[in-house]
Amino acid sequence: MGNIFAIGGELSVRRLGFGTGGLAGPGYWGPRHDDPQRSVALLRRAVERGVTLIDTADNYGPDVAEELVARALHPYPDGLVIATKGGVVRTGPDLWHIAGRPDDLRAMCEASLRRLRTDTLDLYQLHRLDPQVPMADQLGTLTELQQAGKIRHIGLDSVSAAELTQAQQLAPIASVQNRYNLLDRAAEDVLELCEKRGTAFLPWSPLGNGALVEDAGTALATVAAVAARHGATPGQIALAWLLHRSPVLLPTPGTGSPAHLDENLAAAGIALTDGDMAQLDALA
């Protein structure tokens, strides 16, 4: 199991990254912590612990997460890859509106550049394809921004295998970010496509929004048994399974807790056996 992956064939990162959704408040609205220094310290701790992939989005907050990333980590150290997303407008907690018109995407990209205090976004992922706008127009806009030097690599979030296949004919797609975890493998066909093309797959909700560590019935008992053999937590086993499952999987779990951050990152050091994997694979 290699722990390094090159996004777009050139941006080498440690496969276990850090997601910043947990730095936003309930419903991804506002900041999680009243004192922003708590989030700043957490981001710095992640990088000090070896994280080289930070996954964020303009609509976490909105704006909050990107601004925290810049406040904590700018000027960015060599080798740190910042991935962000655009294409969704927020009007309140848990309220999301897809906005994929070319003018919208250009404005969102420029705003992310300002908040992140950079001239080029390492990885810019379209948070959702807009069904009201031709895919060619959306990806064409991102390609233009790439050619202008504002985006280094283009990614997609929450796409079907058919959409990914179509998108790959329109633009160089370096990453996909779909829901995928030990108990939810609906995106298995997308993962297979990513493996064939060497495309990074950043699984969101890698811990199933807590289901993998809280209440998953029989599955929880199985995960707990594997965890006990390794002196690990069920959450660590869920992350280790992703790292073992495919070399293109780059989980970026988020948290607002330093202790939970350390726990998550320690999952990279767990060596699951073939027997462990067979037990865990069978949970699908």
Side-chain angles (χ1 to χ4, degrees):
M1 178 190 73
N3 278 326
I4 302 295
F5 184 88
I7 298 174
E10 64 161 0
L11 297 178
S12 291
V13 297
R14 291 190 179 183
R15 288 176 55 212
L16 191 54
F18 179 74
T20 64
L23 302 183
Y28 292 90
W29 193 256
R32 176 170 185 163
H33 302 302
D34 291 336
D35 179 6
Q37 199 56 39
R38 291 179 61 185
S39 295
V40 166
L42 192 68
L43 283 158
R44 289 176 179 166
R45 183 182 185 91
V47 173
E48 288 165 1
R49 291 290 314 278
V51 166
T52 55
L53 173 61
I54 302 290
D55 179 47
T56 191
D58 62 357
N59 61 74
Y60 294 165
D63 305 347
V64 170
E66 286 185 331
E67 289 169 353
L68 285 168
V69 168
R71 178 170 174 175
L73 303 174
H74 187 273
Y76 303 116
D78 290 342
L80 182 65
V81 172
I82 309 292
T84 193
K85 295 179 280 289
V88 171
V89 174
R90 304 292 307 286
T91 55
D94 284 323
L95 293 175
W96 318 74
H97 310 278
I98 300 174
R101 293 185 305 116
D103 286 350
D104 292 329
L105 296 178
R106 279 190 283 268
M108 290 178 189
C109 176
E110 293 288 355
S112 287
L113 286 165
R114 287 193 299 273
R115 281 190 294 270
L116 288 167
R117 304 182 211 167
T118 185
D119 296 325
T120 304
L121 301 169
D122 294 324
L123 176 62
Y124 193 69
Q125 303 178 104
L126 186 58
H127 212 154
R128 292 293 186 275
L129 283 165
D130 191 333
Q132 305 301 318
V133 180
M135 185 190 293
D137 291 354
Q138 296 173 74
L139 292 181
T141 301
L142 297 187
T143 300
E144 290 171 6
L145 290 165
Q146 186 180 44
Q147 292 168 345
K150 296 179 184 295
I151 294 173
R152 189 163 283 117
H153 292 285
I154 297 168
L156 298 173
D157 190 310
S158 300
V159 292
S160 67
E163 288 169 336
L164 177 57
T165 299
Q166 182 184 353
Q168 288 170 331
Q169 296 169 352
L170 296 169
I173 304 300
S175 73
V176 167
Q177 194 153 17
N178 274 32
R179 181 183 171 94
Y180 187 83
N181 58 55
L182 190 53
L183 303 182
D184 181 353
R185 306 182 206 171
E188 196 76 48
D189 53 350
V190 176
L191 176 58
E192 290 174 8
L193 279 176
C194 288
E195 289 175 333
K196 290 176 183 175
R197 299 291 292 263
T199 304
F201 187 123
L202 284 64
W204 57 264
S205 192
L207 296 173
N209 289 333
L212 291 167
V213 295
E214 291 170 5
D215 183 19
T218 305
L220 179 60
T222 300
V223 178
V226 174
R229 291 199 291 272
H230 289 273
T233 66
Q236 287 176 318
I237 295 302
L239 291 173
W241 177 82
L242 286 167
L243 294 172
H244 284 71
R245 171 66 186 83
S246 170
V248 305
L249 283 169
L250 280 62
T252 56
T255 179
S257 156
H260 192 211
L261 168 67
D262 291 349
E263 177 186 316
N264 286 343
L265 295 181
I270 296 174
L272 297 175
T273 66
D274 290 344
D276 294 332
M277 288 300 291
Q279 269 192 288
L280 296 169
D281 288 344
L283 296 177

